[in-house]
Amino acid sequence: MKPRNIFLLILLIIVVDQVIKIWIKTHMPLSYNWDPSHLPMTKYDRGIRPFGPNSTWCQIYFVENEGMAWGWKFGGDWGKMLLTLFRLFAVIFGVYYILSIIKKKYHKGFIICVGLIFAGALGNLIDSMFYGLIFEESTFTTVAKMFPKQGYAGFLHGKVVDMFYFPIIHSHFPKWLPVIGGDDFEFFSPVFNLADASISVGVIAILLFQKKFFHHHHTGSETIATPNTTVNDDIEAV
């Protein structure tokens, strides 16, 4: 697989991810459903329901998070900075790793999966590094402007923009369950973005197809794992 092709895929994911995030950030206040008496500031206050106002299973619902993918958090301001620096290191290493596995002619599917993970990590890294500098703060009643005189946070402290929400099932846990019995249950509750989805697809695909991505060749009593490339069958036994 040519490096140009995988980096074009990465660029496409990053561009689409950022276009969606910038539109959300500059057109929507933070979404909410908890205050029915609130007078909407824009038509997007309660999110967007593409399949009609009564269809809740698919929503564009604007939230921001300071942590990892899928809204997970990590240790306050210092944790936020460490996580951003870790993402930066992972992205720098990712460039080297992608070029390495292309050179070694790893399975095309594996290279694509690594590219998806890389693109997702870089997409969220852009938010963390720059969004605090180039945007006003979003609130439940105001829409952020781009390139203000002063942003809402410093370098490395930007919030990640999430928007895809699919609460397909609303129910309750059985009352006989300890601790959580009778509590509300929702599937699928996380709000995520395209970068999160790209990371998840890449990781899940590697787990599902690892046997296809890697061949195991037996030589005597040893098992050697190699990329799924063309193998010379004329190897003589030593």
Side-chain angles (χ1 to χ4, degrees), residues 101-108 111 212-215 217 226-233:
I101 61 178
I102 292 175
K103 183 178 180 180
K104 295 177 181 178
K105 298 184 179 180
Y106 273 57
H107 190 283
K108 181 179 179 180
I111 298 173
K212 184 177 181 180
F213 293 163
F214 299 94
H215 282 316
H217 303 286
T226 63
N228 187 13
T229 56
T230 303
V231 178
N232 185 358
D233 293 326

Side-chain angles (χ1 to χ4, degrees), residues 12 28 30 61-62 73-74 92 103-104 156 193 226:
L12 175 64
M28 297 178 66
L30 295 175
Y61 194 87
F62 176 25
K73 293 185 178 181
F74 180 73
I92 294 171
K103 183 178 180 180
K104 295 177 181 178
L156 301 180
N193 57 42
T226 63

